[in-house]
Amino acid sequence: MATAEVGDDVFGDDPTVNALQEYAAELLGKEAGLFVPTGSMGNQVALGALARPGDEVVCEAGAHFLHYEGGSVAAHLGLMMRPLEGEAGVITSDQVASVVRTGTEHNPHTAVVAMENTHNAAGGRIFPIDEARAVSKVARDRGVSLHMDGARLFNAQAATGTAASEWASCVDTLTFCFSKGLGAPVGSMVVGPSDVLSESHRLRKRLGGGMRQAGVIAAAARVALETGPERLHEDHSNARRLAEALAAMNPSAVDLGAVDTNMVYADVGVFGTTGAQVSAALRREGILTLGSEGPVMRLVTHRDVSSDEIETAVSALQKVLI
Ligand SMILES: Cc1ncc(COP(=O)(O)O)c(C=O)c1O
């Protein structure tokens, strides 16, 4: 980061950002890339480039941009959401086929079908590549664009061996984050066709996401993308260890079959407590988790948590829960 060659990315002349965008686009088999500060902005500039105000976006009912991005898709883009109840975060081609509408003066026009991979609210679940292909075909046959919120796409790659570019080939635009398991401090990328991304570029500026000497953070993102994917399997085995330890404390506390990648959603209600209480107790032990006011808590593994530290976390969970 300290030695990154920089320019002014608002004018498109930061060489480190440009090289990162080209590298990411090539890796994912797309024409172009656009570096953005966050995954939330990536989703907005992609969806905003594919749809017009009043259009409809078909998504899974627990989609991140529907629940956790401050209502940005409505507030900034004027898009309607058409949530479909999925299974483990996955919507099917049959579901999509049954809701796509072309838009008359009565109906909104279905402009985009969005998939999330891995699905955060479902617990880091993978969108199976065969279903992604089927959804893609149904949408494309009907002239509907596709977006993938692939914030943790490389976790899906690491867990399945399917190249990230295979999922990318199912959609027009795809967002992924450098700042999650890949380990960079900040930054996300949108990839897609050049003409779509030039509209995304305009939207990024409108949203205040044009960053000047952004090469400083693009340099860290480059390291994350070059070295992050190959070690994500470590996070997955750490998550499994946590899940198995919780299941050993109470088999109803966690669904082991739902731990696909680097997340564990635990039901701590079975220990007679709430997620928030357990999170607060773990924080006192130096362990950061996300606990709801209800029975659910989320534990996420990443590059800064070693397998030794997972053992520390297991001991702390035992102390707090039993
Ligand atoms: C699936 C998914 N999409 C998008 C985002 C948004 O990323 P950011 O926090 O960088 O805006 C997140 C963040 O957790 C996420 O899990």
mmCIF file of all heavy atoms in Angstrom, residues 36-44 62-65 68-69 115-121 149-152 175-180 186-188 263 298, ligand 1:
data_model
loop_
_atom_site.group_PDB
_atom_site.id
_atom_site.type_symbol
_atom_site.label_atom_id
_atom_site.label_comp_id
_atom_site.label_asym_id
_atom_site.label_seq_id
_atom_site.Cartn_x
_atom_site.Cartn_y
_atom_site.Cartn_z
ATOM 1 N N VAL A 36 -15.111 -0.352 -6.280
ATOM 2 C CA VAL A 36 -16.044 0.442 -5.465
ATOM 3 C C VAL A 36 -15.668 0.282 -3.987
ATOM 4 O O VAL A 36 -15.018 -0.691 -3.616
ATOM 5 C CB VAL A 36 -17.521 -0.012 -5.680
ATOM 6 C CG1 VAL A 36 -18.051 0.430 -7.034
ATOM 7 C CG2 VAL A 36 -17.669 -1.520 -5.522
ATOM 8 N N PRO A 37 -16.074 1.267 -3.164
ATOM 9 C CA PRO A 37 -15.663 1.185 -1.747
ATOM 10 C C PRO A 37 -16.281 0.013 -0.993
ATOM 11 O O PRO A 37 -15.657 -0.537 -0.094
ATOM 12 C CB PRO A 37 -16.149 2.499 -1.137
ATOM 13 C CG PRO A 37 -16.591 3.364 -2.261
ATOM 14 C CD PRO A 37 -16.767 2.519 -3.469
ATOM 15 N N THR A 38 -17.526 -0.343 -1.324
ATOM 16 C CA THR A 38 -18.224 -1.374 -0.530
ATOM 17 C C THR A 38 -19.044 -2.305 -1.425
ATOM 18 O O THR A 38 -19.404 -1.948 -2.551
ATOM 19 C CB THR A 38 -19.226 -0.725 0.453
ATOM 20 O OG1 THR A 38 -20.208 -0.020 -0.308
ATOM 21 C CG2 THR A 38 -18.547 0.214 1.429
ATOM 22 N N GLY A 39 -19.394 -3.434 -0.841
ATOM 23 C CA GLY A 39 -20.290 -4.358 -1.538
ATOM 24 C C GLY A 39 -21.659 -3.739 -1.749
ATOM 25 O O GLY A 39 -22.308 -3.956 -2.779
ATOM 26 N N SER A 40 -22.108 -2.957 -0.780
ATOM 27 C CA SER A 40 -23.426 -2.307 -0.911
ATOM 28 C C SER A 40 -23.436 -1.369 -2.113
ATOM 29 O O SER A 40 -24.408 -1.339 -2.881
ATOM 30 C CB SER A 40 -23.758 -1.503 0.346
ATOM 31 O OG SER A 40 -23.730 -2.333 1.473
ATOM 32 N N MET A 41 -22.364 -0.609 -2.281
ATOM 33 C CA MET A 41 -22.337 0.275 -3.438
ATOM 34 C C MET A 41 -22.226 -0.535 -4.733
ATOM 35 O O MET A 41 -22.814 -0.182 -5.755
ATOM 36 C CB MET A 41 -21.210 1.305 -3.349
ATOM 37 C CG MET A 41 -21.364 2.375 -4.427
ATOM 38 S SD MET A 41 -20.080 3.620 -4.452
ATOM 39 C CE MET A 41 -20.468 4.568 -2.999
ATOM 40 N N GLY A 42 -21.495 -1.632 -4.674
ATOM 41 C CA GLY A 42 -21.386 -2.492 -5.858
ATOM 42 C C GLY A 42 -22.752 -2.992 -6.306
ATOM 43 O O GLY A 42 -23.088 -2.950 -7.498
ATOM 44 N N ASN A 43 -23.550 -3.450 -5.351
ATOM 45 C CA ASN A 43 -24.896 -3.910 -5.715
ATOM 46 C C ASN A 43 -25.703 -2.771 -6.318
ATOM 47 O O ASN A 43 -26.414 -2.956 -7.315
ATOM 48 C CB ASN A 43 -25.621 -4.463 -4.483
ATOM 49 C CG ASN A 43 -25.119 -5.837 -4.091
ATOM 50 O OD1 ASN A 43 -24.625 -6.589 -4.925
ATOM 51 N ND2 ASN A 43 -25.234 -6.171 -2.821
ATOM 52 N N GLN A 44 -25.597 -1.593 -5.725
ATOM 53 C CA GLN A 44 -26.389 -0.459 -6.231
ATOM 54 C C GLN A 44 -25.981 -0.058 -7.643
ATOM 55 O O GLN A 44 -26.836 0.170 -8.495
ATOM 56 C CB GLN A 44 -26.224 0.754 -5.314
ATOM 57 C CG GLN A 44 -26.932 0.610 -3.997
ATOM 58 C CD GLN A 44 -26.738 1.872 -3.168
ATOM 59 O OE1 GLN A 44 -27.263 2.929 -3.486
ATOM 60 N NE2 GLN A 44 -25.971 1.755 -2.114
ATOM 61 N N GLY A 62 -34.283 -13.353 1.618
ATOM 62 C CA GLY A 62 -33.321 -12.905 2.625
ATOM 63 C C GLY A 62 -32.150 -12.134 2.025
ATOM 64 O O GLY A 62 -31.116 -11.990 2.675
ATOM 65 N N ALA A 63 -32.315 -11.628 0.804
ATOM 66 C CA ALA A 63 -31.194 -10.980 0.102
ATOM 67 C C ALA A 63 -30.574 -9.851 0.926
ATOM 68 O O ALA A 63 -31.285 -9.059 1.549
ATOM 69 C CB ALA A 63 -31.663 -10.432 -1.248
ATOM 70 N N HIS A 64 -29.263 -9.770 0.865
ATOM 71 C CA HIS A 64 -28.558 -8.748 1.640
ATOM 72 C C HIS A 64 -29.017 -7.353 1.257
ATOM 73 O O HIS A 64 -29.293 -6.515 2.112
ATOM 74 C CB HIS A 64 -27.037 -8.895 1.441
ATOM 75 C CG HIS A 64 -26.245 -8.118 2.442
ATOM 76 N ND1 HIS A 64 -25.926 -6.789 2.259
ATOM 77 C CD2 HIS A 64 -25.740 -8.462 3.649
ATOM 78 C CE1 HIS A 64 -25.237 -6.370 3.307
ATOM 79 N NE2 HIS A 64 -25.110 -7.353 4.169
ATOM 80 N N PHE A 65 -29.139 -7.092 -0.058
ATOM 81 C CA PHE A 65 -29.494 -5.714 -0.450
ATOM 82 C C PHE A 65 -30.935 -5.371 -0.106
ATOM 83 O O PHE A 65 -31.302 -4.208 -0.056
ATOM 84 C CB PHE A 65 -29.176 -5.433 -1.930
ATOM 85 C CG PHE A 65 -29.853 -6.323 -2.930
ATOM 86 C CD1 PHE A 65 -31.207 -6.266 -3.149
ATOM 87 C CD2 PHE A 65 -29.087 -7.221 -3.673
ATOM 88 C CE1 PHE A 65 -31.825 -7.092 -4.078
ATOM 89 C CE2 PHE A 65 -29.691 -8.058 -4.614
ATOM 90 C CZ PHE A 65 -31.065 -7.987 -4.808
ATOM 91 N N TYR A 68 -30.232 -5.383 4.449
ATOM 92 C CA TYR A 68 -29.100 -4.864 5.237
ATOM 93 C C TYR A 68 -28.324 -3.740 4.561
ATOM 94 O O TYR A 68 -27.177 -3.496 4.899
ATOM 95 C CB TYR A 68 -28.130 -6.025 5.583
ATOM 96 C CG TYR A 68 -28.818 -7.230 6.181
ATOM 97 C CD1 TYR A 68 -28.854 -8.440 5.501
ATOM 98 C CD2 TYR A 68 -29.440 -7.149 7.428
ATOM 99 C CE1 TYR A 68 -29.496 -9.547 6.044
ATOM 100 C CE2 TYR A 68 -30.075 -8.255 7.972
ATOM 101 C CZ TYR A 68 -30.103 -9.455 7.274
ATOM 102 O OH TYR A 68 -30.728 -10.537 7.800
ATOM 103 N N GLU A 69 -28.922 -3.101 3.574
ATOM 104 C CA GLU A 69 -28.187 -2.025 2.898
ATOM 105 C C GLU A 69 -28.973 -0.719 2.963
ATOM 106 O O GLU A 69 -28.933 0.107 2.049
ATOM 107 C CB GLU A 69 -27.821 -2.452 1.464
ATOM 108 C CG GLU A 69 -26.885 -3.666 1.504
ATOM 109 C CD GLU A 69 -26.419 -4.213 0.158
ATOM 110 O OE1 GLU A 69 -26.621 -3.542 -0.866
ATOM 111 O OE2 GLU A 69 -25.863 -5.324 0.157
ATOM 112 N N MET A 115 -29.071 -13.217 -7.692
ATOM 113 C CA MET A 115 -28.737 -14.371 -6.843
ATOM 114 C C MET A 115 -27.647 -13.931 -5.861
ATOM 115 O O MET A 115 -26.850 -13.049 -6.193
ATOM 116 C CB MET A 115 -28.199 -15.527 -7.702
ATOM 117 C CG MET A 115 -29.196 -16.061 -8.710
ATOM 118 S SD MET A 115 -28.513 -17.396 -9.746
ATOM 119 C CE MET A 115 -27.935 -16.491 -11.179
ATOM 120 N N GLU A 116 -27.615 -14.547 -4.703
ATOM 121 C CA GLU A 116 -26.577 -14.206 -3.711
ATOM 122 C C GLU A 116 -25.733 -15.445 -3.438
ATOM 123 O O GLU A 116 -26.285 -16.513 -3.166
ATOM 124 C CB GLU A 116 -27.260 -13.718 -2.432
ATOM 125 C CG GLU A 116 -26.298 -13.137 -1.410
ATOM 126 C CD GLU A 116 -27.057 -12.467 -0.254
ATOM 127 O OE1 GLU A 116 -27.978 -11.662 -0.505
ATOM 128 O OE2 GLU A 116 -26.719 -12.761 0.898
ATOM 129 N N ASN A 117 -24.409 -15.281 -3.496
ATOM 130 C CA ASN A 117 -23.528 -16.444 -3.399
ATOM 131 C C ASN A 117 -22.178 -16.043 -2.815
ATOM 132 O O ASN A 117 -21.449 -15.300 -3.465
ATOM 133 C CB ASN A 117 -23.331 -17.018 -4.809
ATOM 134 C CG ASN A 117 -22.637 -18.362 -4.802
ATOM 135 O OD1 ASN A 117 -22.625 -19.067 -3.797
ATOM 136 N ND2 ASN A 117 -22.053 -18.713 -5.926
ATOM 137 N N THR A 118 -21.853 -16.509 -1.615
ATOM 138 C CA THR A 118 -22.677 -17.328 -0.754
ATOM 139 C C THR A 118 -23.729 -16.437 -0.085
ATOM 140 O O THR A 118 -23.560 -15.227 -0.025
ATOM 141 C CB THR A 118 -21.826 -18.018 0.349
ATOM 142 O OG1 THR A 118 -21.232 -17.018 1.186
ATOM 143 C CG2 THR A 118 -20.725 -18.850 -0.268
ATOM 144 N N HIS A 119 -24.779 -17.083 0.389
ATOM 145 C CA HIS A 119 -25.907 -16.320 0.933
ATOM 146 C C HIS A 119 -25.669 -16.050 2.414
ATOM 147 O O HIS A 119 -25.581 -16.987 3.216
ATOM 148 C CB HIS A 119 -27.188 -17.127 0.720
ATOM 149 C CG HIS A 119 -28.441 -16.328 0.903
ATOM 150 N ND1 HIS A 119 -28.840 -15.866 2.130
ATOM 151 C CD2 HIS A 119 -29.364 -15.911 0.014
ATOM 152 C CE1 HIS A 119 -29.989 -15.204 1.986
ATOM 153 N NE2 HIS A 119 -30.317 -15.210 0.703
ATOM 154 N N ASN A 120 -25.589 -14.783 2.737
ATOM 155 C CA ASN A 120 -25.230 -14.396 4.109
ATOM 156 C C ASN A 120 -26.293 -14.839 5.113
ATOM 157 O O ASN A 120 -26.019 -15.611 6.037
ATOM 158 C CB ASN A 120 -25.023 -12.870 4.137
ATOM 159 C CG ASN A 120 -24.585 -12.357 5.493
ATOM 160 O OD1 ASN A 120 -24.646 -13.063 6.500
ATOM 161 N ND2 ASN A 120 -24.142 -11.119 5.540
ATOM 162 N N ALA A 121 -27.532 -14.361 4.915
ATOM 163 C CA ALA A 121 -28.570 -14.627 5.930
ATOM 164 C C ALA A 121 -28.902 -16.111 6.046
ATOM 165 O O ALA A 121 -29.392 -16.559 7.085
ATOM 166 C CB ALA A 121 -29.828 -13.827 5.602
ATOM 167 N N ASP A 149 -24.879 -11.073 -6.340
ATOM 168 C CA ASP A 149 -24.199 -10.506 -5.185
ATOM 169 C C ASP A 149 -23.266 -11.601 -4.686
ATOM 170 O O ASP A 149 -23.647 -12.468 -3.903
ATOM 171 C CB ASP A 149 -25.221 -10.098 -4.106
ATOM 172 C CG ASP A 149 -24.529 -9.561 -2.855
ATOM 173 O OD1 ASP A 149 -23.293 -9.657 -2.763
ATOM 174 O OD2 ASP A 149 -25.247 -9.047 -1.973
ATOM 175 N N GLY A 150 -22.050 -11.550 -5.201
ATOM 176 C CA GLY A 150 -21.061 -12.579 -4.867
ATOM 177 C C GLY A 150 -20.059 -12.053 -3.857
ATOM 178 O O GLY A 150 -18.852 -12.276 -4.015
ATOM 179 N N ALA A 151 -20.566 -11.363 -2.838
ATOM 180 C CA ALA A 151 -19.682 -10.789 -1.812
ATOM 181 C C ALA A 151 -18.649 -11.820 -1.358
ATOM 182 O O ALA A 151 -17.472 -11.509 -1.185
ATOM 183 C CB ALA A 151 -20.515 -10.304 -0.625
ATOM 184 N N ARG A 152 -19.097 -13.068 -1.183
ATOM 185 C CA ARG A 152 -18.187 -14.150 -0.759
ATOM 186 C C ARG A 152 -18.107 -15.242 -1.820
ATOM 187 O O ARG A 152 -18.043 -16.432 -1.507
ATOM 188 C CB ARG A 152 -18.656 -14.745 0.581
ATOM 189 C CG ARG A 152 -18.640 -13.745 1.717
ATOM 190 C CD ARG A 152 -19.117 -14.307 3.038
ATOM 191 N NE ARG A 152 -19.200 -13.255 4.031
ATOM 192 C CZ ARG A 152 -20.201 -12.367 4.096
ATOM 193 N NH1 ARG A 152 -21.210 -12.446 3.247
ATOM 194 N NH2 ARG A 152 -20.179 -11.410 5.007
ATOM 195 N N THR A 175 -20.893 -8.682 -8.215
ATOM 196 C CA THR A 175 -20.117 -7.943 -7.214
ATOM 197 C C THR A 175 -19.405 -8.947 -6.318
ATOM 198 O O THR A 175 -20.015 -9.950 -5.933
ATOM 199 C CB THR A 175 -21.069 -7.149 -6.283
ATOM 200 O OG1 THR A 175 -21.963 -6.402 -7.069
ATOM 201 C CG2 THR A 175 -20.308 -6.220 -5.369
ATOM 202 N N PHE A 176 -18.148 -8.677 -6.000
ATOM 203 C CA PHE A 176 -17.521 -9.461 -4.923
ATOM 204 C C PHE A 176 -16.707 -8.531 -4.045
ATOM 205 O O PHE A 176 -16.362 -7.409 -4.445
ATOM 206 C CB PHE A 176 -16.674 -10.622 -5.476
ATOM 207 C CG PHE A 176 -15.406 -10.221 -6.159
ATOM 208 C CD1 PHE A 176 -14.216 -10.101 -5.462
ATOM 209 C CD2 PHE A 176 -15.386 -9.958 -7.522
ATOM 210 C CE1 PHE A 176 -13.041 -9.727 -6.095
ATOM 211 C CE2 PHE A 176 -14.210 -9.582 -8.171
ATOM 212 C CZ PHE A 176 -13.040 -9.464 -7.459
ATOM 213 N N CYS A 177 -16.431 -8.969 -2.827
ATOM 214 C CA CYS A 177 -15.765 -8.101 -1.851
ATOM 215 C C CYS A 177 -14.344 -8.576 -1.564
ATOM 216 O O CYS A 177 -14.110 -9.767 -1.376
ATOM 217 C CB CYS A 177 -16.555 -8.089 -0.543
ATOM 218 S SG CYS A 177 -18.207 -7.406 -0.728
ATOM 219 N N PHE A 178 -13.430 -7.623 -1.524
ATOM 220 C CA PHE A 178 -12.053 -7.916 -1.095
ATOM 221 C C PHE A 178 -11.969 -7.910 0.425
ATOM 222 O O PHE A 178 -11.027 -8.422 1.013
ATOM 223 C CB PHE A 178 -11.100 -6.827 -1.612
ATOM 224 C CG PHE A 178 -11.090 -6.699 -3.110
ATOM 225 C CD1 PHE A 178 -11.675 -5.611 -3.733
ATOM 226 C CD2 PHE A 178 -10.499 -7.674 -3.901
ATOM 227 C CE1 PHE A 178 -11.670 -5.491 -5.112
ATOM 228 C CE2 PHE A 178 -10.486 -7.566 -5.281
ATOM 229 C CZ PHE A 178 -11.079 -6.464 -5.889
ATOM 230 N N SER A 179 -12.959 -7.260 1.040
ATOM 231 C CA SER A 179 -12.848 -6.909 2.454
ATOM 232 C C SER A 179 -13.411 -7.968 3.392
ATOM 233 O O SER A 179 -13.413 -7.765 4.588
ATOM 234 C CB SER A 179 -13.614 -5.609 2.695
ATOM 235 O OG SER A 179 -14.975 -5.782 2.326
ATOM 236 N N LYS A 180 -13.869 -9.082 2.873
ATOM 237 C CA LYS A 180 -14.411 -10.103 3.779
ATOM 238 C C LYS A 180 -13.348 -11.193 3.937
ATOM 239 O O LYS A 180 -12.241 -10.870 4.328
ATOM 240 C CB LYS A 180 -15.764 -10.562 3.255
ATOM 241 C CG LYS A 180 -16.712 -9.345 3.211
ATOM 242 C CD LYS A 180 -18.126 -9.655 2.915
ATOM 243 C CE LYS A 180 -19.006 -8.458 3.214
ATOM 244 N NZ LYS A 180 -18.731 -7.269 2.378
ATOM 245 N N VAL A 186 -10.538 -2.883 2.857
ATOM 246 C CA VAL A 186 -11.658 -2.161 2.256
ATOM 247 C C VAL A 186 -11.715 -2.470 0.755
ATOM 248 O O VAL A 186 -10.709 -2.809 0.152
ATOM 249 C CB VAL A 186 -11.499 -0.633 2.492
ATOM 250 C CG1 VAL A 186 -10.236 -0.103 1.844
ATOM 251 C CG2 VAL A 186 -12.692 0.174 2.015
ATOM 252 N N GLY A 187 -12.912 -2.388 0.197
ATOM 253 C CA GLY A 187 -13.035 -2.453 -1.262
ATOM 254 C C GLY A 187 -13.818 -3.636 -1.791
ATOM 255 O O GLY A 187 -13.817 -4.719 -1.215
ATOM 256 N N SER A 188 -14.525 -3.381 -2.885
ATOM 257 C CA SER A 188 -15.277 -4.413 -3.602
ATOM 258 C C SER A 188 -15.121 -4.156 -5.089
ATOM 259 O O SER A 188 -14.630 -3.104 -5.501
ATOM 260 C CB SER A 188 -16.769 -4.356 -3.221
ATOM 261 O OG SER A 188 -16.940 -4.662 -1.857
ATOM 262 N N MET A 263 -19.256 -19.610 7.791
ATOM 263 C CA MET A 263 -20.207 -19.063 8.760
ATOM 264 C C MET A 263 -20.876 -20.167 9.549
ATOM 265 O O MET A 263 -21.178 -21.231 8.993
ATOM 266 C CB MET A 263 -21.328 -18.307 8.044
ATOM 267 C CG MET A 263 -20.888 -17.018 7.449
ATOM 268 S SD MET A 263 -22.338 -16.157 6.831
ATOM 269 C CE MET A 263 -21.485 -14.839 5.989
ATOM 270 N N ARG A 298 -24.293 -15.420 15.076
ATOM 271 C CA ARG A 298 -23.494 -15.721 13.885
ATOM 272 C C ARG A 298 -22.022 -15.672 14.235
ATOM 273 O O ARG A 298 -21.549 -14.710 14.835
ATOM 274 C CB ARG A 298 -23.808 -14.700 12.785
ATOM 275 C CG ARG A 298 -23.238 -15.077 11.441
ATOM 276 C CD ARG A 298 -23.433 -13.968 10.412
ATOM 277 N NE ARG A 298 -22.446 -12.910 10.599
ATOM 278 C CZ ARG A 298 -22.138 -11.993 9.674
ATOM 279 N NH1 ARG A 298 -22.778 -11.995 8.513
ATOM 280 N NH2 ARG A 298 -21.222 -11.079 9.906
HETATM 281 C C1 LIG B 1 -23.960 -10.998 0.719
HETATM 282 C C2 LIG B 1 -23.495 -9.607 1.011
HETATM 283 N N1 LIG B 1 -23.625 -8.672 0.085
HETATM 284 C C3 LIG B 1 -23.216 -7.410 0.281
HETATM 285 C C4 LIG B 1 -22.641 -7.038 1.465
HETATM 286 C C5 LIG B 1 -22.273 -5.602 1.661
HETATM 287 O O1 LIG B 1 -20.927 -5.400 1.757
HETATM 288 P P1 LIG B 1 -20.387 -4.053 2.438
HETATM 289 O O2 LIG B 1 -20.477 -4.274 3.902
HETATM 290 O O3 LIG B 1 -18.974 -3.955 1.919
HETATM 291 O O4 LIG B 1 -21.253 -2.946 1.968
HETATM 292 C C6 LIG B 1 -22.488 -7.983 2.487
HETATM 293 C C7 LIG B 1 -21.893 -7.609 3.780
HETATM 294 O O5 LIG B 1 -21.837 -8.373 4.715
HETATM 295 C C8 LIG B 1 -22.925 -9.306 2.248
HETATM 296 O O6 LIG B 1 -22.828 -10.247 3.195
#
